[in-house]
């Protein structure tokens, strides 16, 4: 992100990205690098997904990021014990010298993303260096904090974006011409490569360039809040002053922005539709999913719109009653926030129409995959609420204003695979 338009003070307090000795799997000690990776912890939402990853390899990273035990405290201790054992057995090995890591993701559709992984100094919100755009759920932050305290490690990088296209890009592109440290293709079809940057001159170029930028949190709000919580409670200076991140220059590599859908447990579609009659226009669509999503995209061009599913059909909700919105949406926020689909969903539909608490796992689940959300709603007799994604420019503009969006409003991607490089705080 260019510093034009920002204060001199902000420019001086830009991103401070530091090299570290990455912790990586020894490829000779695991079945394959692909079999020990995982999506980020919050994407692996279902127990069957955890079981699938655990079955892929006994050393899959999911055993650290989502330990399965009888209680949360038992889980964190189990993860810490597992990490210590893998270090002692040489399953995970620290690289010999500190570096930044160039990370590449490529899929079969021509999508290419490159960024740099490092230990980022954790800034204060008032500094405006790292911009969040979503609220967080305190129980999730507490869970992640307990895990990081027990393991004394950053187990997976969060994803930050900035607008650069300068010196860092040159170092990344030149590094990507060299043989990588690792190369693997995961079952989702993404090909991953990783390089280490250890040359002092290149490290200095990247650090000097990034010091003039601020970043937007694309994925990992709860982990960033966890970093800040742990930094506040731990002695400083020290290793808790930094957290593991992947920085992607979206001027060069635009991210994909997708919606995160809602699954409402215990609310049949018929009841959900009946409750909104007279408040929204409701149209039944007897169409396949892809076609229904196109209708949703068209409807969002003129206002708020949602798709309900779970009964074998799709129901388009659009044209909400302006009086309803005026009555239910807080008036003390910018117009861009008040008009967001996620705002209308949470403030109007969930709270006032359907009376569903947004932070109760017993009532609501947040799922990234569209087809999976529909399938689960049909299987469980609940309601899937499908949403259209928000543009990155809208997210960035709100973040610059210091306005946070409703939680789980966006899904930026591709997300970094977990398990390719970790940061142990004691190393």
């Amino acid at each position: 992100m260019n510093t034009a338009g920002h204060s001199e003070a902000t420019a001086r307090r830009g991103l401070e990205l530091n090299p570290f000795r990455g912790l990586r799997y020894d490829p000779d000690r695991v079945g394959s690098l692909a079999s020990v990776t995982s999506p980020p912890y919050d994407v692996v939402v279902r127990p069957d997904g955890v079981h699938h990853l655990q079955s892929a390899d006994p050393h899959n990273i999911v055993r650290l990021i989502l330990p399965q035990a009888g209680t949360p405290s038992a889980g964190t201790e189990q993860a810490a014990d597992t990490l210590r054992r893998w270090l002692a057995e040489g399953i995970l090995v620290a690289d010999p010298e500190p570096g930044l890591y160039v990370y590449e993701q490529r899929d079969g559709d021509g999508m290419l993303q490159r960024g740099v992984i490092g230990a980022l100094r954790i800034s204060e919100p008032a500094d405006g260096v790292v911009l969040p755009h979503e609220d967080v759920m305190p129980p999730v932050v507490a869970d992640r904090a307990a895990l990081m305290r027990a393991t004394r490690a950053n187990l997976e990088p969060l994803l930050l974006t900035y607008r650069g296209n300068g010196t860092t890009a040159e170092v990344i592109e030149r590094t990507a011409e060299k043989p990588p440290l690792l190369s693997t293709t995961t079952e989702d079809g993404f090909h991953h490569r990783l390089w280490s940057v250890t040359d002092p001159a290149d490290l200095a170029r990247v650090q000097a360039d990034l010091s003039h930028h601020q970043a937007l949190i694309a994925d990992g709000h709860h982990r960033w809040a966890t970093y800040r919580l742990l930094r506040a409670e731990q002695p400083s200076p020290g290793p808790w002053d930094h957290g593991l991140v992947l920085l992607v220059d979206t001027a060069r590599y635009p991210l994909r922005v997708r919606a995160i859908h809602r699954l409402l447990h215990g609310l049949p579609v018929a009841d959900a539709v009946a409750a909104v009659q007279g408040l929204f226009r409701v149209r039944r669509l007897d169409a396949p999913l892809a076609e229904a999503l196109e209708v949703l995209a068209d409807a969002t061009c003129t206002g708020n719109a949602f798709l309900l599913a779970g009964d074998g059909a799709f129901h388009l909700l659009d044209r909400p009653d302006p009086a309803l919105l005026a009555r239910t949406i807080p008036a003390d926020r910018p117009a861009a926030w008040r008009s967001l689909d996620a705002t209308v969903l949470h403030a109007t539909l969930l709270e006032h129409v359907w009376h569903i608490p947004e932070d109760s796992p017993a009532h609501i689940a947040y799922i990234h995959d569209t087809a999976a959300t529909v399938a689960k709603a049909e299987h469980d007799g609940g309601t899937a609420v499908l949403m259209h994604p928000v543009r990155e420019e809208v997210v960035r503009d709100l973040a610059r204003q210091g306005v946070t969006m409703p939680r789980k409003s966006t899904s930026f991607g591709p997300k970094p695979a977990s398990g390719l490089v970790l940061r142990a705080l004691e190393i």
Side-chain angles (χ1 to χ4, degrees):
M1 186 181 304
N2 293 324
T3 53
H6 298 291
S7 71
E8 238 185 340
T10 301
R12 287 199 301 268
R13 294 196 307 270
L15 299 164
E16 184 184 314
L17 193 68
N18 291 297
F20 67 105
R21 289 179 63 196
L23 203 59
R24 297 188 295 113
Y25 282 99
D26 180 346
D28 295 330
R29 302 296 304 276
V30 297
S32 71
L33 291 175
S35 67
V36 294
T37 64
S38 163
Y41 80 96
D42 58 337
V43 180
V44 188
V45 291
R46 301 197 307 271
D48 55 332
V50 175
H51 176 73
H52 171 71
L53 290 165
Q54 287 181 332
S55 303
D57 190 287
H59 302 109
N60 189 283
I61 190 68
V62 78
R63 295 178 185 273
L64 300 182
I65 64 174
L66 285 174
Q68 301 297 295
T71 65
S73 60
T76 57
E77 286 307 315
Q78 177 181 294
D81 290 342
T82 300
L83 178 56
R84 282 192 289 267
R85 187 174 72 253
W86 289 357
L87 287 168
E89 295 174 354
I91 304 299
L92 287 166
V93 180
D95 282 329
E97 57 182 322
L100 297 175
Y101 294 84
V102 170
Y103 176 49
E104 175 189 280
Q105 293 164 279
R106 187 191 298 266
D107 70 6
D109 298 326
M111 195 290 307
L112 172 66
Q113 178 175 293
R114 287 177 180 151
V116 59
I117 295 174
L120 183 71
R121 177 171 289 279
I122 299 159
S123 58
E124 295 297 327
D127 294 341
V129 176
V130 175
L131 303 173
H133 69 268
E134 286 185 3
D135 290 328
V136 297
M137 294 177 264
V140 178
V141 175
D143 173 75
R144 291 295 101 186
L147 183 64
M148 287 190 206
R149 285 190 204 99
T151 58
R152 298 190 65 80
N154 300 151
L155 300 172
E156 45 186 347
L158 52 84
L159 175 61
L160 305 180
T161 74
Y162 71 104
R163 306 286 290 178
N165 219 7
T167 307
T168 300
E170 185 273 324
V171 173
I172 288 174
E173 300 308 309
R174 182 159 38 80
T175 301
E177 295 174 357
K178 302 174 182 177
L181 289 176
L182 65 84
S183 178
T184 189
T185 301
T186 46
E187 66 177 8
D188 58 6
F190 273 90
H191 187 62
H192 308 263
R193 295 199 293 171
L194 190 77
W195 297 261
S196 180
V197 179
T198 57
D199 177 73
D202 280 342
L203 293 175
R205 289 187 190 100
V206 171
Q207 290 176 309
D209 180 36
L210 292 177
S211 70
H212 298 290
H213 295 289
Q214 56 181 179
L216 175 74
I217 300 177
D219 185 68
H221 283 83
H222 289 91
R223 280 165 283 168
W224 181 253
T226 301
Y227 288 169
R228 294 195 60 252
L229 173 67
L230 294 174
R231 179 200 181 200
E233 69 183 32
Q234 300 289 338
S236 182
W240 298 96
D241 291 342
H242 299 82
L244 187 64
V245 306
L246 165 64
L247 275 163
V248 173
D249 176 3
T250 52
R252 192 175 186 91
Y253 297 110
L255 270 65
R256 294 171 175 169
V257 186
R258 294 190 169 121
I260 301 176
H261 309 295
R262 276 65 170 160
L263 174 62
L264 309 181
H265 305 300
L267 178 66
V269 175
D271 293 351
V273 170
V276 297
Q277 293 291 346
L279 302 175
F280 282 71
R281 183 175 70 166
V282 183
R283 287 181 286 162
R284 179 186 173 98
L285 306 176
D286 290 302
L289 175 59
E291 188 176 319
L293 290 174
E294 289 179 6
V295 175
L296 173 64
D298 290 341
T300 57
C301 292
T302 56
N304 303 114
F306 311 91
L307 272 182
L308 305 188
D311 62 351
F314 296 98
H315 306 266
L316 179 70
L317 274 55
D318 67 352
R319 299 187 185 179
D321 176 9
L324 171 70
L325 300 184
R327 189 170 70 249
T328 57
I329 295 177
D332 60 347
R333 300 289 190 93
W337 180 89
R338 300 178 70 228
S339 63
L340 289 169
D341 287 339
T343 298
V344 174
L345 172 61
H346 285 257
T348 303
L349 285 168
L350 292 181
E351 184 174 349
H352 289 277
V353 178
W354 293 326
H355 307 292
I356 292 175
E358 65 178 15
D359 55 357
S360 169
H363 294 88
I364 186 169
Y366 298 85
I367 303 178
H368 295 73
D369 185 272
T370 310
T373 311
V374 175
K376 192 149 183 62
E378 292 179 346
H379 180 269
D380 298 347
T383 294
V385 183
L386 306 183
M387 305 180 68
H388 188 68
V390 182
R391 298 192 320 277
E392 182 183 351
E393 311 88 80
V394 173
V395 176
R396 196 178 296 275
D397 287 346
L398 284 171
R400 280 175 173 158
Q401 297 175 51
V403 177
T404 54
M405 298 170 66
R407 59 192 58 162
K408 299 295 183 183
S409 295
T410 57
S411 175
F412 285 87
K415 305 176 192 304
S418 299
L420 296 179
V421 61
L422 294 65
R423 174 177 175 252
L425 274 70
E426 309 301 337
I427 297 177

